[in-house]
């Protein structure tokens, strides 16, 4: 464990990756402008957000009551965070002007004591902090704080940051271990991560202590949420649910939580915050709890796409190895939260298992949440879809066959925007003596510094369609440090050269550590073999037994009706393992398409018969086409299947 | 089609069947006395029924408001019906006295104009017939009417029957095509069947016309339920459901209903009533509609157990070939309703497909609803159970792993009681010239008459454990008629003799018609070969693809954890088709147990890994034990599986 490891800021990275660059440009040119319209209730036909209206009303700039859900402030927080990241790599005076004006409005709503939450400002400040469990008060603070930090880091403008620090200080005065303070914590976590990030800037120990307090207090007896319900007459909605207070990860103190339970987004946000605090405070028992929860999530409750949260009821984890493909919730935000958690584990422990999961989620269950044109979004990310079932089977109503416009409860779209806009900060973490650990093979230009010497790094790659990555180092002057490369868990063979000389170092916990005195023009070249991989799941996963899923590199593939016709359930892979891989620039914005000989069950069957004596299953050869899972449902509604019969 | 075909009354049959006799005795000695206690709120710890209380209150014999759900009167109706059937084959003066006293109370609650529904008597008669859609008013009438008829037929006592005829006549005055009458029909069907049965006794055309009216008016535009909602401010609970008014089978006129939709019990009750009216009125288009709906149910929406209603949401049909085994609703009452529908189809058309389904439901999805001791009941009849999922997965909370005591909404237990107590009436229907069609191989003594000559028939069998059935005919004097035997759909070979001479007649629509002059002592002996049958489902049934289910004779089998240990999903059948069948008198009250060599997947798997490159699936030989499906969950909770991997 090394407390000095840390990720980098988006501002240190200019992404020019053919794959991710397109997503980042989409966020900049489509998602952020669209969301600004949405936050201002200017999308025709869409349910209004009321987010900017609420701030104006709270600031006294407009008359009217609070409108919309209690958590709408957070949408603006995610928006300004994404704006900050974008401005870090692309100057945009017009966008910055809009953001500054929005910040003026938000700050104008701040109360004299620092409080800033439109719901309670507009419904009665006397009731603030009376429903931490369900009213997302500290959640909204967390998101706006993250936004304030991102905007400050990108622009140097600290108006919003200062306002939020005042708000944090007010919270700190009211929450904590002192007997006269409230012993509460948020019903929806996120503020923990935000406070740790704030501490990076302020170095004010109160900010770290507050994050630590929210984590340590959680789940302690007597239970704060229970007492809060009794004291303020709040309703506990999960009384009849087997999860109960686990819904909020609040049934037990965090170190006693062995299984990831409850609302999946909240869970991974908490775990990410725990990992942050564990690193900052060098707390081995808290880190051990993170590891155990990591295992619960990734070794027993994660889909092959990196999606998590199997149950639509409570958008929650269900139980070990329960991974239904067709009734899954698998919220986009939960996969995003898993990326947050993964990077924070890497900041504690260099071990490629964390980066493998981060990569798995990024290339699959995260970006499946957005259409290729950046205009529509999935909350739910199924691995098996039958449109008729989505229309007629109530237990699959949440499984949409087409991405939705950004309406109503809009958590996932802005969350995607802030993650994608900051993707540079997930590529590397640092270790001792300027060591650089490369986790995600993202093309672009990156600046690092060792012993006050700036090192420019250029990464060229066509990843994930091609396994070749070329890294050119340009230090001001020769400098010794370790450049470490992750060998992905999916990769069975690779070649690695430095300045065209083959390197024989073996990986340590998944990383090849190249310790050199690096000089300008040194080139690291790695080529990961990317054959099609046929995957199986642990046989405890009932839903996947006797089935396989294809992947290539980090990308999980699926069959779609658009390529393979309907009745995908009749198709099976058979014995063939000879696949053709072709990059098709015109298909789905450019993807490597996999084709191969599979088989299809002969489904001839006597009329008027539902059951009969079993006869052999007769198969005919069938050409199968697979496309990347993340790109499914971009060609109209239809069947889709990740796990196909062997 | 032959309007004279009809089933027989329970009173014509004294069942002495080793299999069904035990069930009928359970009903007589356990279920009926227990239900009487339940109807009187005397079961400690149980939610009160309030059924008898409501009648006493409505009769002015006790003070107090209506209590419990609106449909509690129907529970008493089902109870008195079961009592009637029992008294038809077993005199029981004590039970008859209880019943007479109960009838006195019920009749005392009847209003001067004939009205008899405790909910509206106690909450305001001015509101009667203002919520036919949801308030089960005509449903309660239907059930009490069926009870009145059964009690009259068994005892000759007509007090209740006369009271109910008065009530029917009041309804007839208020409902019908005349402009000044209400153009409504029941939200929950059953009265249609009851009125046809009443017409058998009264031969009063108004009774048949009223049944016909309720069927013909259903689903016509403008929609009565819609108008009723508007007129009386009733809430329509299915507005956001894709089924809408299909929930009540009321979205379309019955002849335009092509697919079985909505609440499964209501649906099959309607179809059964339609079949009754089609026969009575010789209506070919109504019969054609019945046939089409029959196909929709049994060829596309029926489980191998005869259970129907795949979706817990609305306890409803979902869509063609959607037959999930683990989230099924499959209500016991729906399988019972399918038996009602099947017999009524047989009364229209002699075709063994109807009897095959009737038998399938009876030996499987009907009696799976009751524990072997008659003390506890399933509403939901799953084909695949994982206890952990039932505890932790909200979408499977309705799937219980243990039968429940008879509490609260108690539709299934008394429905089972009335069906099992009248099982004799499902064994035969008659055709022209006294022809006798034997559908269900039920042991016992039966009386028939041809040309006013009584024929005593004795049936001896150990069915379903043994395929041998011996039928001894004893006419007063020799008489010519057709005795027809159904060759079950599951049966590939059999031997048939009359007086020990092999008979060569071939089946016609599934029946071998033995046309003889029968004389005393003539013996028909049939022996159906009953090997273990390995079944497969139509490949359109996604949930069963690549799986098989075992059956023997009419009995579907399952694997239980009690015999096979946990992780049943790892077990598959493999190539072996050599099964051992042993009747075990001490197991599950005496069942034929099937054992055979199958295989179990080697589930060795590397630690900390959820997915890996696919390796061959390694199986080890494993002895498998199957027990009859209906008897599952009689040895404590555990896993259960009907469809196992090939």
């Amino acid at each position: 464990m090394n407390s000095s490891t840390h990720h980098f800021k988006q501002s240190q990275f200019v992404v020019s990756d053919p794959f991710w660059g397109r997503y980042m440009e989409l966020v900049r040119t489509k998602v952020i402008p669209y969301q600004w319209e949405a936050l201002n209730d200017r999308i025709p036909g869409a349910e209004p957000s009321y987010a900017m209206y609420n701030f104006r009303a709270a600031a006294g700039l407009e008359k009217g009551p609070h409108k919309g859900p209690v958590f709408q402030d957070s949408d603006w927080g995610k928006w300004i965070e994404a704006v900050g990241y974008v401005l870090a790599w692309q100057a945009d005076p017009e966008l910055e002007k809009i953001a500054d004006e929005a910040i003026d409005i938000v700050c104008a709503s701040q109360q004299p004591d620092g409080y800033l939450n439109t719901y309670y400002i507009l419904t009665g400040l006397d009731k603030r902090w009376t429903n931490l469990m369900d009213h997302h008060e500290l959640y909204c603070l967390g998101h706006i704080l993250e936004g304030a930090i991102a905007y400050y880091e990108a622009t140097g403008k600290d108006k919003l940051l200062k306002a939020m620090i005042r708000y944090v200080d007010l919270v700190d005065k009211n929450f904590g271990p002192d007997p006269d303070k409230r012993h509460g914590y948020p019903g929806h976590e996120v503020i923990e991560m935000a406070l740790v990030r704030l501490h990076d800037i302020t170095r004010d120990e109160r900010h770290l202590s507050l994050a630590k307090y929210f984590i340590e207090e959680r789940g302690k007896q007597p239970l704060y949420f229970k007492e809060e319900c009794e004291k303020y007459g709040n309703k506990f909605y999960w009384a009849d649910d087997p999860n109960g207070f686990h819904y909020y990860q609040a049934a037990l103190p965090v170190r006693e939580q062995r299984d990831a339970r409850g609302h999946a987004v909240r869970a991974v946000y908490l775990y990410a915050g725990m990992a942050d605090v564990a690193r900052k405070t060098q707390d081995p028992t808290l880190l051990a709890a993170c590891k155990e929860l990591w295992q619960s999530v990734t070794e027993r409750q994660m889909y092959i796409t990196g999606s998590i949260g199997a149950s639509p009821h409570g958008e929650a984890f269900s139980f070990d190895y329960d991974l239904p493909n067709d009734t899954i919730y698998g919220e986009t935000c939960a996969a995003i939260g898993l990326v947050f958690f993964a990077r924070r584990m890497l900041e504690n422990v260099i071990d490629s298992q964390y980066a493998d999961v981060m990569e798995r989620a990024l290339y699959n269950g995260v970006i499946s949440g957005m259409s290729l044109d950046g205009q529509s979004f999935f909350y739910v990310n199924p691995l098996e879809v039958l449109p008729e079932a989505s229309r007629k089977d109530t237990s699959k109503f949440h499984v949409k066959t087409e991405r939705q416009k950004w309406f109503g409860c809009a958590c996932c779209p802005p969350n995607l925007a802030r993650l994608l806009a900051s993707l540079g900060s997930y590529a590397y973490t640092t270790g001792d003596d300027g060591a650089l650990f490369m986790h995600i093979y993202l093309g672009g230009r990156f600046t690092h510094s060792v012993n006050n010497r700036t090192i420019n790094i250029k990464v060229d790659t066509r990843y994930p369609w091609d396994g070749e990555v070329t890294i050119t180092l340009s230090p001001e002057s020769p400098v010794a440090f370790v450049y470490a490369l992750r060998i992905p868990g999916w990769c069975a063979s690779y070649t690695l050269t430095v300045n065209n000389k083959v390197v024989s170092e073996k990986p340590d916990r998944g990383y090849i550590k190249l310790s050199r005195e690096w000089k300008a023009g040194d080139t690291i070249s790695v080529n990961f073999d990317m054959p099609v991989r046929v995957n199986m799941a642990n046989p405890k996963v009932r839903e996947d037994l006797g089935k396989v899923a294809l992947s290539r590199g980090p990308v999980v593939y699926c069959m779609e009706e658009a390529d393979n016709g309907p009745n995908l359930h009749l198709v099976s892979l058979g014995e063939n393992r000879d696949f053709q891989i072709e990059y098709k620039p015109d298909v789905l914005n450019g993807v490597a398409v996999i084709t191969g000989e599979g088989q299809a069950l002969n489904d001839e069957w006597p009329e008027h018969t539902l059951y009969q004596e079993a006869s052999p299953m007769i198969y005919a050869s069938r050409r199968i086409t697979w496309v990347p899972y993340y790109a499914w449902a971009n060609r109209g509604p239809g069947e889709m299947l990740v796990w196909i019969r062997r």
Side-chain angles (χ1 to χ4, degrees), chain A:
Chain A
M1 193 164 67
N2 185 328
S3 68
S4 70
T5 53
H6 205 318
H7 68 280
F8 283 88
K9 295 172 190 163
Q10 177 55 39
S11 55
Q12 291 174 270
F13 212 122
V14 177
V15 175
S16 61
D17 187 279
F19 186 84
W20 290 110
R22 206 186 59 77
Y23 277 99
M24 294 176 76
E25 276 302 297
L26 269 184
V27 169
R28 192 176 74 82
T29 60
K30 302 279 184 195
V31 182
I32 286 177
Y34 186 91
Q35 190 184 7
W36 179 243
E37 295 306 294
L39 292 172
N40 284 281
D41 315 329
R42 291 191 295 247
I43 306 289
E47 206 179 310
S49 153
Y50 299 119
M52 286 311 299
Y53 157 80
N54 284 332
F55 284 118
R56 284 196 305 275
L61 303 171
E62 188 167 342
K63 278 264 171 233
H66 183 271
K67 294 182 186 175
V70 290
F71 44 73
Q72 293 305 79
D73 291 4
S74 67
D75 274 357
W76 183 80
K78 289 185 226 174
W79 177 79
I80 194 71
E81 187 182 345
V83 169
Y85 298 139
V86 160
L87 293 177
W89 42 268
Q90 174 74 52
D92 187 335
E94 202 177 323
L95 177 60
E96 194 167 332
K97 183 163 171 282
I98 290 170
D100 285 338
E101 288 169 8
I103 287 169
D104 288 343
I105 294 167
V106 170
C107 290
S109 75
Q110 188 165 37
Q111 301 299 294
D113 65 355
Y115 188 78
L116 203 173
N117 179 289
T118 66
Y119 178 76
Y120 283 106
I121 292 170
L122 292 166
T123 61
L125 281 167
D126 55 316
K127 292 199 193 64
R128 71 186 184 184
W129 303 324
T130 62
N131 192 343
L132 294 184
M133 186 172 75
D134 281 329
H135 277 187
H136 292 69
E137 213 170 349
L138 296 171
Y139 171 81
C140 288
L141 165 51
H143 271 303
I144 303 179
L145 179 56
E146 290 227 52
I149 293 166
Y151 197 74
Y152 163 73
E153 289 185 338
T155 64
K157 293 177 181 171
D158 63 0
K159 178 172 180 173
L160 181 62
L161 180 63
K162 278 185 172 160
M164 295 316 288
I165 291 172
R166 279 183 62 212
Y167 186 8
V168 167
D169 292 344
L170 175 71
V171 169
D172 183 57
K173 269 186 215 123
N174 283 275
F175 288 85
D178 297 352
D180 58 336
K181 290 187 178 182
R182 289 172 197 263
H183 300 158
Y185 39 85
H188 195 316
E189 302 90 336
V190 82
I191 193 172
E192 301 83 352
M193 283 187 275
L195 286 169
V196 171
R197 238 178 122 183
L198 180 63
H199 176 257
D200 283 346
I201 293 169
T202 62
R203 297 286 158 186
D204 183 334
E205 282 307 312
R206 287 177 311 155
H207 299 156
L208 179 57
S209 293
L210 187 58
K212 185 174 158 61
Y213 178 74
F214 285 143
I215 286 166
E216 297 290 349
E217 191 61 23
R218 195 165 205 91
K220 279 194 184 160
Q221 292 297 339
L223 214 58
Y224 183 82
F225 290 161
K226 215 169 164 184
E227 295 194 321
E228 190 186 62
C229 285
E230 284 157 15
K231 190 164 174 188
Y232 301 111
N234 304 334
K235 184 169 158 52
F236 176 50
Y237 291 96
W238 305 94
D240 295 329
D241 189 277
N243 270 321
F245 287 104
H246 282 292
Y247 173 81
Y248 308 95
Q249 300 76 48
L252 291 170
V254 295
R255 283 179 190 74
E256 292 170 32
Q257 295 184 24
R258 297 277 177 273
D259 299 306
R261 293 188 65 175
H263 190 271
V265 177
R266 297 178 201 228
V268 282
Y269 279 20
L270 168 65
Y271 310 155
M274 285 164 64
D276 270 340
V277 170
R279 173 177 56 83
K280 282 267 192 177
T281 62
Q282 291 287 294
D283 181 332
T285 62
L286 192 58
L287 182 59
C290 290
K291 286 180 177 173
E292 192 144 346
L293 291 163
W294 173 268
Q295 290 183 337
S296 172
V297 174
T298 64
E299 296 177 7
R300 300 190 295 277
Q301 302 197 76
M302 179 183 72
Y303 289 87
I304 194 169
T305 55
S307 284
I308 54 173
S311 173
H313 181 79
E315 307 173 346
F317 291 105
S318 56
F319 57 95
D320 286 355
Y321 306 108
D322 179 48
L323 295 165
N325 296 304
D326 57 348
T327 57
I328 176 178
Y329 200 75
E331 188 179 341
T332 305
C333 285
I336 290 171
L338 184 56
V339 171
F340 297 161
F341 184 21
R343 192 188 73 190
R344 284 159 177 84
M345 288 307 286
L346 283 171
E347 288 166 24
N348 277 286
V349 186
I350 292 295
D351 186 326
S352 65
Q353 66 167 309
Y354 303 114
D356 282 347
V357 167
M358 185 160 78
E359 185 183 69
R360 184 188 290 281
L362 280 172
Y363 283 95
N364 302 289
V366 167
I367 52 172
S368 58
M370 190 162 89
S371 62
L372 293 176
D373 64 5
Q375 310 268 353
S376 56
F377 300 87
F378 278 137
Y379 290 73
V380 169
N381 294 280
L383 282 75
E384 177 176 341
V385 168
L386 180 69
E388 186 172 22
S390 291
R391 285 195 309 275
K392 296 182 179 173
D393 177 355
T394 319
S395 70
K396 291 168 190 148
F397 279 3
H398 65 288
V399 176
K400 304 297 180 201
T401 55
E402 293 186 283
R403 292 177 183 81
Q404 311 290 299
K405 287 285 171 193
W406 183 344
F407 293 166
C409 171
C411 61
C412 298
N415 223 357
L416 265 169
R418 72 189 185 113
L419 173 67
L420 293 172
S422 63
L423 206 63
S425 64
Y426 294 83
Y428 291 96
T429 60
T430 54
D432 294 330
D433 305 320
L436 205 50
F437 290 86
M438 186 169 201
H439 308 296
I440 301 291
Y441 292 101
L442 192 61
R445 291 172 181 277
F446 178 66
T447 54
H448 180 46
S449 95
V450 178
N451 298 334
N452 296 319
R453 264 168 295 181
T454 296
I455 300 150
N456 288 308
I457 301 166
K458 184 163 157 281
V459 179
D460 292 294
T461 184
R462 291 184 63 250
Y463 204 88
W465 312 127
D466 186 294
E468 196 170 347
V469 183
T470 306
I471 300 150
T472 311
L473 301 174
S474 306
E476 295 175 84
S477 58
V479 57
F481 68 97
V482 169
Y483 195 102
L485 294 151
R486 176 177 71 100
I487 305 303
W490 51 260
C491 180
S493 69
Y494 58 90
T495 53
L496 174 60
T497 62
V498 175
N499 297 331
N500 292 318
K501 277 183 211 141
V502 172
V503 164
S504 59
E505 269 95 340
K506 292 282 159 249
D508 171 20
R509 292 200 177 195
Y511 292 83
I512 295 197
K513 293 174 184 162
L514 301 171
S515 181
R516 301 278 194 285
E517 191 184 59
W518 298 100
K519 54 186 193 311
D522 278 351
T523 302
I524 304 166
S525 184
V526 62
N527 198 341
F528 301 113
D529 286 350
M530 273 193 183
V532 173
R533 178 171 140 139
V534 179
N535 301 279
M536 67 191 293
N538 186 322
K540 292 195 175 80
V541 181
R542 288 165 190 260
E543 308 275 350
D544 298 340
L545 193 74
K547 296 179 178 172
V548 289
L550 265 55
S551 62
R552 181 172 175 264
V555 177
V556 173
Y557 278 72
C558 69
M559 293 195 302
E560 276 202 292
E561 186 174 340
D563 301 303
N564 298 287
N567 290 315
L568 296 181
H569 73 292
L570 297 176
V571 177
S572 56
L573 183 57
E575 295 304 315
N576 177 48
R577 294 294 179 270
D578 181 25
F579 300 100
Q580 287 72 54
I581 303 159
E582 191 184 352
Y583 181 79
K584 296 198 176 180
D586 301 333
V587 173
L588 297 165
N589 275 345
V591 294
V593 173
I594 299 174
T595 51
E597 236 18 69
Q599 52 189 30
L601 184 68
N602 181 340
D603 63 343
E604 274 175 43
W605 187 263
E607 261 197 305
H608 303 302
T609 306
L610 193 47
Y611 305 102
Q612 68 174 8
E613 191 151 10
S615 54
M617 296 173 79
I618 311 281
Y619 293 90
S621 179
R622 165 86 80 90
R623 191 95 200 142
I624 313 179
T625 299
W626 287 265
V627 294
Y629 166 76
Y630 73 82
W632 85 277
N634 277 287
R635 297 175 292 180
E639 292 182 29
M640 184 276 288
L641 200 56
V642 170
W643 289 99
I644 70 170
R645 288 188 312 118
R646 276 167 168 257

